mmCIF file of all heavy atoms in Angstrom:
data_model
loop_
_atom_site.group_PDB
_atom_site.id
_atom_site.type_symbol
_atom_site.label_atom_id
_atom_site.label_comp_id
_atom_site.label_asym_id
_atom_site.label_seq_id
_atom_site.Cartn_x
_atom_site.Cartn_y
_atom_site.Cartn_z
ATOM 1 N N SER A 415 115.916 113.564 106.017
ATOM 2 C CA SER A 415 116.356 114.342 104.836
ATOM 3 C C SER A 415 117.233 115.555 105.249
ATOM 4 O O SER A 415 118.209 115.907 104.547
ATOM 5 C CB SER A 415 115.139 114.850 104.033
ATOM 6 O OG SER A 415 114.371 115.752 104.806
ATOM 7 N N LEU A 416 116.959 116.131 106.363
ATOM 8 C CA LEU A 416 117.791 117.223 106.878
ATOM 9 C C LEU A 416 119.175 116.731 107.249
ATOM 10 O O LEU A 416 120.176 117.387 106.954
ATOM 11 C CB LEU A 416 117.110 117.904 108.078
ATOM 12 C CG LEU A 416 115.911 118.843 107.715
ATOM 13 C CD1 LEU A 416 115.169 119.179 108.975
ATOM 14 C CD2 LEU A 416 116.409 120.111 107.067
ATOM 15 N N LEU A 417 119.231 115.597 107.916
ATOM 16 C CA LEU A 417 120.569 115.020 108.244
ATOM 17 C C LEU A 417 121.364 114.678 106.992
ATOM 18 O O LEU A 417 122.554 114.934 106.909
ATOM 19 C CB LEU A 417 120.361 113.787 109.122
ATOM 20 C CG LEU A 417 119.920 114.046 110.604
ATOM 21 C CD1 LEU A 417 119.616 112.740 111.303
ATOM 22 C CD2 LEU A 417 120.999 114.788 111.324
ATOM 23 N N GLU A 418 120.694 114.113 106.039
ATOM 24 C CA GLU A 418 121.367 113.805 104.782
ATOM 25 C C GLU A 418 121.827 115.075 104.060
ATOM 26 O O GLU A 418 122.830 115.121 103.399
ATOM 27 C CB GLU A 418 120.459 112.978 103.846
ATOM 28 C CG GLU A 418 120.207 111.551 104.339
ATOM 29 C CD GLU A 418 121.500 110.760 104.464
ATOM 30 O OE1 GLU A 418 122.380 110.905 103.604
ATOM 31 O OE2 GLU A 418 121.631 110.032 105.440
ATOM 32 N N GLY A 419 121.017 116.111 104.215
ATOM 33 C CA GLY A 419 121.386 117.438 103.654
ATOM 34 C C GLY A 419 122.649 117.946 104.253
ATOM 35 O O GLY A 419 123.516 118.455 103.546
ATOM 36 N N PHE A 420 122.756 117.854 105.576
ATOM 37 C CA PHE A 420 123.979 118.290 106.266
ATOM 38 C C PHE A 420 125.174 117.487 105.758
ATOM 39 O O PHE A 420 126.273 118.072 105.545
ATOM 40 C CB PHE A 420 123.856 118.141 107.783
ATOM 41 C CG PHE A 420 123.045 119.230 108.422
ATOM 42 C CD1 PHE A 420 121.926 118.945 109.184
ATOM 43 C CD2 PHE A 420 123.428 120.587 108.283
ATOM 44 C CE1 PHE A 420 121.179 119.941 109.754
ATOM 45 C CE2 PHE A 420 122.673 121.593 108.865
ATOM 46 C CZ PHE A 420 121.527 121.261 109.609
ATOM 47 N N ARG A 421 124.991 116.188 105.601
ATOM 48 C CA ARG A 421 126.097 115.331 105.135
ATOM 49 C C ARG A 421 126.481 115.624 103.681
ATOM 50 O O ARG A 421 127.613 115.339 103.285
ATOM 51 C CB ARG A 421 125.726 113.870 105.281
ATOM 52 C CG ARG A 421 125.498 113.429 106.736
ATOM 53 C CD ARG A 421 125.374 111.912 106.844
ATOM 54 N NE ARG A 421 125.100 111.486 108.188
ATOM 55 C CZ ARG A 421 123.905 111.136 108.687
ATOM 56 N NH1 ARG A 421 122.875 111.133 107.868
ATOM 57 N NH2 ARG A 421 123.732 110.757 109.942
ATOM 58 N N SER A 422 125.549 116.152 102.889
ATOM 59 C CA SER A 422 125.840 116.437 101.493
ATOM 60 C C SER A 422 126.746 117.642 101.256
ATOM 61 O O SER A 422 127.271 117.837 100.167
ATOM 62 C CB SER A 422 124.531 116.629 100.728
ATOM 63 O OG SER A 422 123.901 117.798 101.083
ATOM 64 N N VAL A 423 126.896 118.464 102.306
ATOM 65 C CA VAL A 423 127.763 119.650 102.141
ATOM 66 C C VAL A 423 129.201 119.224 102.291
ATOM 67 O O VAL A 423 129.597 118.638 103.274
ATOM 68 C CB VAL A 423 127.411 120.692 103.251
ATOM 69 C CG1 VAL A 423 128.336 121.917 103.104
ATOM 70 C CG2 VAL A 423 125.946 121.115 103.167
ATOM 71 N N PRO A 424 130.045 119.491 101.247
ATOM 72 C CA PRO A 424 131.418 119.087 101.301
ATOM 73 C C PRO A 424 132.186 119.684 102.470
ATOM 74 O O PRO A 424 131.992 120.862 102.782
ATOM 75 C CB PRO A 424 131.973 119.551 99.935
ATOM 76 C CG PRO A 424 130.784 119.712 99.059
ATOM 77 C CD PRO A 424 129.677 120.102 99.989
ATOM 78 N N ASP A 425 133.080 118.941 103.070
ATOM 79 C CA ASP A 425 133.840 119.400 104.211
ATOM 80 C C ASP A 425 134.737 120.572 103.807
ATOM 81 O O ASP A 425 134.941 121.502 104.604
ATOM 82 C CB ASP A 425 134.686 118.288 104.789
ATOM 83 C CG ASP A 425 133.860 117.199 105.478
ATOM 84 O OD1 ASP A 425 132.732 117.551 105.949
ATOM 85 O OD2 ASP A 425 134.300 116.066 105.524
ATOM 86 N N GLU A 426 135.291 120.539 102.591
ATOM 87 C CA GLU A 426 136.171 121.591 102.161
ATOM 88 C C GLU A 426 135.444 122.922 102.039
ATOM 89 O O GLU A 426 136.064 123.996 102.232
ATOM 90 C CB GLU A 426 136.881 121.264 100.804
ATOM 91 C CG GLU A 426 135.903 120.919 99.680
ATOM 92 C CD GLU A 426 135.624 119.423 99.594
ATOM 93 O OE1 GLU A 426 135.780 118.746 100.623
ATOM 94 O OE2 GLU A 426 135.260 118.963 98.487
#
Side-chain angles (χ1 to χ4, degrees):
S415 65
L416 285 167
L417 286 174
E418 290 301 319
F420 281 123
R421 295 189 182 102
S422 68
V423 180
D425 291 334
E426 55 268 24

